[in-house]
Amino acid sequence: MTPAGAGICFDGVGVTYPNGVVGLRDVSLDIEPGEMVVVVGLSGAGKSTLVRSINSLVPFTSGEITVGDVAVSGLRGKALRRLRSEIGMVFQSFNLARRTTVLNNVLMGRLYAAPTWRTMLGLWPASDVELAMQSLERVEIVQKAYANASELSGGQQQRVAIARTLAQQPRVILADEPVASLDPPTSHVVMRDLQRINAELGITVVVNLHFLDLARRYGNRLIGLRAGEVVYDGPGADADEKVFESIYGRSLTAEDVLDTPARLT
């Protein structure tokens, strides 16, 4: 079965911010359709820059990124909106509308596909409502469909955010520090959701993580960034303490792992 996901190609990509700070330096890598990749590195290493450059939330200043068969540079207006409709984004802060229902939040993932008059009146097509409910079932939170988002725990809110991206029917899911504000058990639940979605639906998943034990456990492929450059690209299972020290430029500390006590061996 051909994966539903899109491939992603970085070809000599650089990002220099207006203040002169370099976010990425000559990054070249290929992410295969349907692959799950975890990106790790110190704060400021370029993790978020790399993830957000894929959908042009952070514009790159040199090189090219291709998603599927679409070159990202130069996309504007309708063409950029079309690309972003195929790329779901999961944020650390969930970005839910807290005063409305969980179901309405998930339906926001259908905004690109639905007529404006329907969304303004809240008259969603039955097919969109069914898709939203299926997305909630996939992250095992459908029982909260008619609860207000404000009533949910942080972990439940993040699962709703994942369901919202699924309602887009994306070819790629980008997750930027999706577990940074969650407790350890909930962090594993969210990462298992992303892992299962990748395995069952074939959607390409790129996750940016700080915790090294999570990265090793859930990263079939791990990309290590240091000062905007790729310094490791290989299986998560092969990333021992020595590899992580080469990425971080220092010895590991308890703050680098989620589940303590923990050692990477």
Side-chain angles (χ1 to χ4, degrees):
M1 178 174 160
T2 302
I8 303 166
C9 175
F10 285 73
D11 184 8
V13 173
V15 173
T16 301
Y17 289 97
N19 62 2
V21 172
V22 175
L24 294 178
R25 301 173 187 269
D26 194 28
V27 171
S28 293
L29 55 88
D30 291 300
I31 297 172
E32 295 298 320
E35 193 170 16
M36 181 163 177
V37 176
V38 173
V39 184
V40 296
L42 285 171
S43 177
K47 302 190 304 296
S48 288
T49 300
L50 185 144
V51 168
R52 290 171 180 242
S53 65
I54 294 170
N55 60 359
S56 202
L57 283 181
V58 172
F60 49 95
T61 49
S62 62
E64 183 60 273
I65 298 174
T66 306
V67 180
D69 58 359
V70 177
V72 176
S73 65
L75 290 182
R76 300 288 186 275
K78 187 175 181 179
L80 181 56
R81 290 193 297 272
R82 185 183 300 114
L83 175 71
R84 288 175 174 170
S85 74
E86 296 187 352
I87 302 176
M89 189 84 189
V90 180
F91 298 92
Q92 175 183 338
S93 56
F94 321 134
N95 287 10
L96 300 184
R98 292 173 54 82
R99 295 187 180 182
T100 191
T101 65
V102 164
L103 180 59
N104 281 338
N105 271 281
V106 177
L107 283 165
M108 297 301 174
R110 302 301 303 156
L111 283 174
Y112 178 81
T116 302
W117 69 269
R118 280 190 173 275
T119 63
M120 290 181 68
L121 296 174
L123 300 174
W124 296 94
S127 58
D128 282 355
V129 175
E130 177 62 22
L131 178 58
M133 295 296 280
Q134 290 173 357
S135 299
L136 286 167
E137 286 178 354
R138 191 164 287 278
V139 294
E140 300 177 349
I141 199 170
V142 70
Q143 73 277 9
K144 296 289 187 181
Y146 296 101
N148 266 20
S150 61
E151 300 171 14
L152 305 185
S153 68
Q156 290 172 330
Q157 289 186 60
Q158 192 60 290
R159 299 179 92 179
V160 172
I162 294 171
R164 180 180 58 199
T165 71
L166 286 176
Q168 287 181 230
Q169 298 184 306
R171 301 180 68 199
V172 175
I173 291 178
L174 308 176
D176 190 8
E177 296 278 11
V179 302
S181 58
L182 304 179
D183 59 46
T186 308
S187 296
H188 285 286
V189 169
V190 167
M191 289 303 301
R192 283 195 296 269
D193 282 342
L194 291 170
Q195 188 178 56
R196 188 174 64 254
I197 286 164
N198 168 254
E200 294 178 358
L201 299 181
I203 298 171
T204 307
V205 177
V206 183
V207 187
N208 154 10
L209 290 177
H210 171 75
F211 297 115
L212 305 183
D213 48 345
L214 279 187
R216 185 180 180 190
R217 179 166 179 174
Y218 296 102
N220 298 330
R221 176 182 175 189
L222 192 148
I223 294 172
L225 290 179
R226 184 174 177 183
E229 297 181 308
V230 176
V231 295
Y232 178 81
D233 185 353
D238 291 349
D240 57 15
E241 283 197 45
K242 196 167 291 187
V243 167
F244 281 123
E245 286 174 8
S246 73
I247 297 169
Y248 275 46
R250 59 166 173 76
S251 298
L252 304 185
T253 70
E255 293 181 356
D256 299 325
V257 293
L258 179 71
D259 297 313
T260 53
R263 297 281 294 173
L264 297 167
T265 57

